[in-house]
Amino acid sequence: MKRDQVRSSSGRRTRFAGAKAVLSGALAVSSLALISVGSATAASASAKKITVAFVVGAEADPFFISMNAGAQAEATKLGVNLIWQGNPSQYSPSTQIPIVQQVISQLQSSKPSALVLGPTDPKALQPYVNQAIKAGIPTFNVDSSVANLKKVVSFVTGNNAQGGAAAADALATAMGYKAGKKYNVAVGMTSPTATTNVLRFQGFKAEVAKKYPGIKIVAEAYSQSSPTTANSNIQGWLTKYSQGSSTALNGIFAIDGTNAEGAASALQAAGLACSATSCGSGKVALVGYDAYNTNVALLQQGIFAALIAQDPAKEGMLSVLNAYNFLTHHKVKGIKHLITLPNVTLTPKSPAALLTKYTYQTA
Amino acid sequence: MSRAVSEVVSPSSNEGEPASWARRLVGNQQFMLFVVFVAIFAFFTFNDSVFASVSEIGNNITDFSTLVLLAVGETFVIATGGIDLSVGGTSGFAGVVGAIAMEHLAPHGEWVVLGVGTLVCLGVGIGIGLINAVLMHYARLVPFVATLVTMGAAEGMSLVLTGGAPVGSNFGAITLTEPKISVFSYPDIIIILITVVAGLYLHYSKFGRYTFAIGSNSFAVRAVGVNVRRHLTWVYVLSGALAGLTGMFIYMRLGSGAPSAGVGTELVAIAAVVIGGARLTGGSAQLSGTVLGAMILTIVSSGLIIMNVSPNFNQVAVAILIALAATFQALRKGSRADV
Amino acid sequence: MSDPTPLYEARNVYKNYGSVAAVKDVSLTIHAGEIVGLVGDNGAGKSSLVKVLSGVYQPDAGQLIVDGVERHWKSPHDAMLAGVETLYQDSGLALDLTIGANVFLGREKMKPGILGRLGFLAQKEMDAEAAEDLERTGIAVHASKRTVGQLSGGQRQAVAIGRAVAWAQKVIILDEPTNHLGARQAGEVLAVMRAARERGLGVIFISHTLPHILEICDRIVVLRLGSVVRDAPTSTFTAESLLGTITGLHAE
């Protein structure tokens, strides 16, 4: 339970590795077509107002706050009645299931309606998805999915493997990668069971193997969702690879928010952090994940060489649109079953507007 | 009369006899813990000499400082026969509230900011300690449930306040946790002083005496006119206050208030107390044991990082240490019953 | 019995639990240097009366008088402060504390000067005094640094009684102090009670073990169904008549 409570930046994303593997090759282009369809049909909404209910993991997480904003904007545009539910802080099936049950009965009495669920566990939430579908409520997945996606109309999510690969590219750039030279890199993760971590790390490793033979992954450690533990892991590495005031460690991939925070503070303490103006030799290049506003601030200071950002607002927006189209046309036609949104690489040089756009919102 | 005297004396007289000092040492949990600590330290150093480097020792002391105050507070609580599950959540919540307060105070200069921040963290800790006491005394919850409630509330509130992301970045604060006197930072020294004073109070003061007495037989303590509720309130307030200070230390270490910073650390603190030889049912604990327990847990996790062993092994190692400590305690108790 | 002011006196005391009257109109006196036996069948009201006398319960009606002054106990601690010590059936010792710590529990001596003000204990002094106190009441326990948990059952009881006798200024109430003890150990407990009597304390001795009552008490008070049915010198009882009075099977 504990690990789940702080899911904010760790294992929130889907745990369904199989589905993700299929998704990893998919492109997001298809979604562009859908946007225009949605806009066109907005005016001709059917007599009865459509209700779309989202049930997410942890409502207060900026990731979901951003998703909510995207969903709300789209709902307003389409004249859809949006219900937004989720436990404030606990990312756990035990708190999510009662909410889902409640929402299903609510939706039954306000048809036409659809359920958009970001399941906190692929197996535990499966029966409730089945129940909703049986009750005639079309069901969608967002961000994470249930184990059996067959009857789910559509699943919109970020592409973790692509994000991991993008992180490898960003890190190589930040270290000034040159063929023939050797680079030591460490990876800070949350836990061995968080599939988001695993997928990002797999993508990272695959990209390194493909493009950067000089990069050696010398250490991996788990923070168990605690930035303090992440900090102490990274302190240990810095000591191990220390060479006087310099270091033999060239880069760190902080795979999630807690590691980003722990790494940034450990590098600051050791005087090995890069700055906006320089990230020369003897400093450690840091690439992080998720555009929480504190991370973006550190990016602007140059402590992060790059941040890999997801696009939760777009996930929310597309989910509403898909639900609307399905309910309006009563068929799956034109709605892609799996929609994988690529992650975006943000750097200190990214334009301010881009940084603002991708920074996760707070309440 | 003389008959009574002789009878009561006789069975005791052989126990104080000089068993060989070696046997006494082996029977002494603190000594055994020290041996274990040295052995583990030697093992890691043998594996990679960097483990004994000044810089790594400094890292270890920082980790130790993050843990030990939680374990000290937990020692008092466990000595009364209670448990405080809220210390981890409290430290995180205190750090978050402190960070937010300090962010607002930023224009007032560093020492005002840190001073007030420390007081805010302390205040949050004391507040949660009081809530624990109220839940126990008025809502009649057992300590496990009362502190489980506040643990969840504190962790949840941290997330609600921050939206899951760290707040109040102040990287200037990080420099405070860097070594200043030999391998110790100023906060390290303050934390060590607090630990020593707490140890003196636990074992040599009236407050400590009642702490153990309540854990041993609270009825007896009440019968002699001690206000047990009030004493327990102080114990949980102490535990909360130390958790609050830990929150401040974590803030300085990370340079921001992190909502998930303290999550799960209550279990590490309890592990340190148990490894240190305390009895979970109360009445028996040694602060020196707790400190050694915290030292051992600290070097085990940092040593495994240096060795680059699968981090999952850390949990296994802690489990083994707890099992060994508990077994040792049980064996020692068994041998005493034989006397 | 001619002393006009008893050490401790209960006058027309009542204690009800809801509609059940546990103690009905009980009057009782204890004089200095006297051991009074309090006997009765299970449910006769002994425990309730003891709890009223020791301050655990407040009587619903009636008076409690110590040395001629009426008192109202709010807690056992009040009674203790007035010189009335009670030894409970479950002994009231903290097993993990040393003998010395137990003897001084709730009455700790502090170190002189600033250390004492800061809350630190004068442990050596307390250990020495505890050993002395226990010895004076006929109990010698070596090494008062050992915990009570390390003592045998009889030794524990001896420490508990020794503590009560050492602190009692006026009256000591012993609730089943010989329970679970072997004959020899029980004999020692009785010896401690005699020592207390010699010190001029009033002793109330509650027991089911009638031979002990007959052996040591100066006077016996018999309770039945919450009321005193007989209060007379021990010499007026035989084992048979005492049993008969307790059970009410034949009139005395």
Side-chain angles (χ1 to χ4, degrees), chain B residues 87-172:
Chain B
V87 292
T90 300
S91 67
F93 184 56
V96 163
V97 175
I100 292 171
M102 285 184 268
E103 198 170 28
H104 288 292
L105 285 166
H108 290 85
E110 195 185 3
W111 292 110
V112 174
V113 170
L114 292 172
V116 176
T118 306
L119 290 178
V120 169
C121 288
L122 204 55
V124 169
I126 288 170
I128 294 179
L130 279 174
I131 294 171
N132 282 332
V134 166
L135 288 176
M136 282 183 283
H137 299 331
Y138 297 102
R140 305 259 163 184
L141 301 183
V142 295
F144 187 94
V145 177
T147 60
L148 188 69
V149 166
T150 47
M151 174 186 92
E155 290 179 3
M157 282 300 292
S158 302
L159 290 168
V160 169
L161 277 183
T162 60
V167 290
S169 290
N170 173 12
F171 279 114

Side-chain angles (χ1 to χ4, degrees), chain A residues 18 89 115 118 136 170 227 232 321 328 357:
Chain A
S89 58
L115 172 66
S232 111
L321 181 59
T328 317
K357 182 184 170 204

Side-chain angles (χ1 to χ4, degrees), chain B residues 276-310:
Chain B
R279 196 194 308 139
L280 277 175
T281 50
S284 171
Q286 282 285 338
L287 204 90
S288 54
T290 296
V291 168
L292 282 161
M295 284 165 65
I296 289 171
L297 289 172
T298 299
I299 64 163
V300 165
S301 55
S302 67
L304 292 174
I305 288 289
I306 293 288
M307 272 179 75
N308 218 350
V309 173
S310 161

Side-chain angles (χ1 to χ4, degrees), chain A:
Chain A
M1 175 197 83
K2 304 204 58 59
R3 196 174 300 149
D4 286 335
Q5 286 178 338
V6 284
R7 200 43 78 92
S8 55
S9 46
S10 54
R12 183 201 314 113
R13 305 330 124 182
T14 176
R15 298 181 187 177
F16 187 46
K20 296 298 286 195
V22 176
L23 300 176
S24 58
L27 292 170
V29 181
S30 56
S31 59
L32 294 172
L34 289 168
I35 294 168
S36 57
V37 173
S39 308
T41 50
S44 61
S46 54
K48 214 170 167 217
K49 206 173 183 188
I50 287 170
T51 300
V52 175
F54 272 67
V55 181
V56 296
E59 250 191 331
D61 187 315
F63 181 90
F64 288 115
I65 292 172
S66 295
M67 185 186 284
N68 185 3
Q72 188 60 60
E74 188 69 6
T76 310
K77 197 167 94 188
L78 299 173
V80 166
N81 177 26
L82 184 74
I83 297 172
W84 193 269
Q85 286 288 354
N87 185 276
S89 58
Q90 283 195 13
Y91 190 92
S92 138
S94 64
T95 53
Q96 193 181 33
I97 286 170
I99 298 175
V100 173
Q101 287 175 315
Q102 169 69 31
V103 166
I104 290 174
S105 55
Q106 210 177 332
L107 291 177
Q108 270 179 293
S109 62
S110 59
K111 285 181 182 174
S113 57
L115 172 66
V116 182
L117 176 68
T120 48
D121 187 282
K123 289 204 182 101
L125 271 298
Q126 184 78 54
Y128 302 95
V129 166
N130 298 347
Q131 188 192 326
I133 294 167
K134 220 179 220 170
I137 301 162
T139 300
F140 300 73
N141 277 176
V142 67
D143 180 45
S144 56
S145 76
V146 288
N148 184 354
L149 273 167
K150 232 185 222 164
K151 288 182 181 159
V152 171
V153 179
S154 153
F155 172 33
V156 183
T157 185
N159 188 337
N160 283 302
Q162 175 266 337
D169 293 333
L171 194 57
T173 310
M175 294 188 300
Y177 183 84
K178 286 193 188 77
K181 282 181 77 177
K182 296 279 173 220
Y183 300 87
N184 291 327
V185 165
V187 181
M189 291 182 279
T190 275
S191 86
T193 51
T195 42
T196 45
N197 281 211
V198 175
L199 290 168
R200 289 170 191 176
F201 189 40
Q202 279 172 357
F204 183 83
K205 277 196 292 195
E207 187 79 350
V208 164
K210 202 165 75 187
K211 289 206 217 160
Y212 311 109
I215 291 181
K216 190 178 167 206
I217 298 169
V218 291
E220 307 157 23
Y222 301 117
S223 70
Q224 306 296 349
S225 290
S226 161
T228 325
T229 308
N231 174 284
S232 111
N233 293 344
I234 289 153
Q235 271 187 346
W237 296 337
L238 294 178
T239 298
K240 184 169 177 179
Y241 293 99
S242 114
Q243 294 180 338
S245 63
S246 178
T247 177
L249 191 69
N250 307 96
I252 294 175
F253 176 29
I255 220 157
D256 62 16
T258 52
N259 277 288
E261 197 187 0
S265 53
L267 289 176
Q268 290 275 117
L272 293 170
C274 297
S275 71
T277 47
S278 79
C279 191
S281 62
K283 303 283 183 188
V284 180
L286 175 63
V287 171
Y289 220 106
D290 283 332
Y292 293 105
N293 52 15
T294 38
N295 284 355
V296 173
L298 292 171
L299 180 77
Q300 283 166 325
Q301 292 170 43
I303 292 164
F304 280 110
L307 276 181
I308 310 304
Q310 306 185 77
D311 197 350
K314 196 166 180 185
E315 290 183 22
M317 186 268 276
L318 286 175
S319 297
V320 171
L321 181 59
N322 286 345
Y324 176 84
N325 282 332
F326 184 82
L327 291 172
T328 317
H329 306 304
H330 299 284
K331 57 184 173 194
V332 201
K333 201 183 154 201
I335 299 173
K336 213 166 153 48
H337 189 48
L338 302 167
I339 299 172
T340 317
L341 302 177
N343 292 306
V344 177
T345 303
L346 303 175
T347 70
K349 289 182 188 119
S350 299
L354 191 73
L355 291 182
T356 314
K357 182 184 170 204
Y358 281 99
T359 301
Y360 301 167
Q361 300 181 18
T362 47

Side-chain angles (χ1 to χ4, degrees), chain C residues 28-46:
Chain C
L28 186 72
T29 56
I30 302 99
H31 294 264
E34 184 187 30
I35 301 178
V36 175
L38 186 59
V39 296
D41 224 338
N42 285 330
K46 282 178 308 189

Side-chain angles (χ1 to χ4, degrees), chain C residues 16-249:
Chain C
N16 307 316
Y17 303 108
S19 60
V20 182
V23 177
K24 280 183 285 191
D25 195 21
V26 168
S27 296
L28 186 72
T29 56
I30 302 99
H31 294 264
E34 184 187 30
I35 301 178
V36 175
L38 186 59
V39 296
D41 224 338
N42 285 330
K46 282 178 308 189
S47 319
S48 300
L49 181 57
V50 166
K51 283 180 171 151
V52 167
L53 293 174
S54 63
V56 175
Y57 296 152
Q58 278 132 50
D60 295 314
Q63 291 170 296
L64 298 175
I65 298 154
V66 177
D67 264 350
V69 181
E70 185 175 356
R71 308 299 292 257
H72 298 278
W73 313 136
K74 289 199 189 70
S75 72
H77 189 56
D78 278 358
M80 258 172 56
L81 291 178
V84 178
E85 287 282 332
T86 306
L87 177 74
Y88 298 96
Q89 274 180 11
D90 37 8
S91 102
L93 294 173
L95 297 189
D96 298 301
L97 264 47
T98 62
I99 296 163
N102 265 292
V103 168
F104 278 88
L105 189 60
R107 290 176 265 229
E108 284 77 5
K109 293 205 160 181
M110 309 306 286
K111 272 202 183 340
I114 183 83
L115 282 176
R117 293 251 186 83
L118 288 172
F120 289 99
L121 298 167
Q123 193 53 51
K124 274 192 187 148
E125 205 185 322
M126 285 195 283
D127 284 343
E129 259 185 61
E132 231 172 80
D133 283 346
L134 292 177
E135 215 154 326
R136 214 177 24 241
T137 53
I139 299 158
V141 185
H142 245 17
S144 49
K145 280 188 175 159
R146 286 194 304 157
T147 65
V148 170
Q150 286 169 296
L151 303 177
S152 71
Q155 289 174 315
R156 286 178 201 177
Q157 193 68 335
V159 170
I161 297 169
R163 175 173 78 169
V165 173
W167 286 107
Q169 290 140 22
K170 299 194 171 77
V171 174
I172 169 169
I173 303 170
L174 300 168
D175 192 358
E176 299 283 4
T178 55
N179 248 10
H180 314 302
L181 293 187
R184 226 161 57 137
Q185 292 165 323
E188 286 150 20
V189 169
L190 298 183
V192 173
M193 288 166 62
R194 285 195 190 94
R197 173 167 61 189
E198 278 161 31
R199 280 183 51 206
L201 295 172
V203 179
I204 302 176
F205 177 33
I206 297 96
S207 182
H208 276 108
T209 317
L210 298 184
H212 290 163
I213 294 279
L214 289 165
E215 178 186 338
I216 198 168
C217 293
D218 301 301
R219 191 152 54 87
I220 298 175
V221 176
V222 182
L223 283 179
R224 197 162 68 220
L225 300 173
S227 302
V228 175
V229 291
R230 183 129 190 243
D231 180 347
T234 308
S235 54
T236 63
F237 287 97
T238 63
E240 291 74 28
S241 74
L242 180 55
L243 190 64
T245 313
I246 291 168
T247 56
L249 287 181

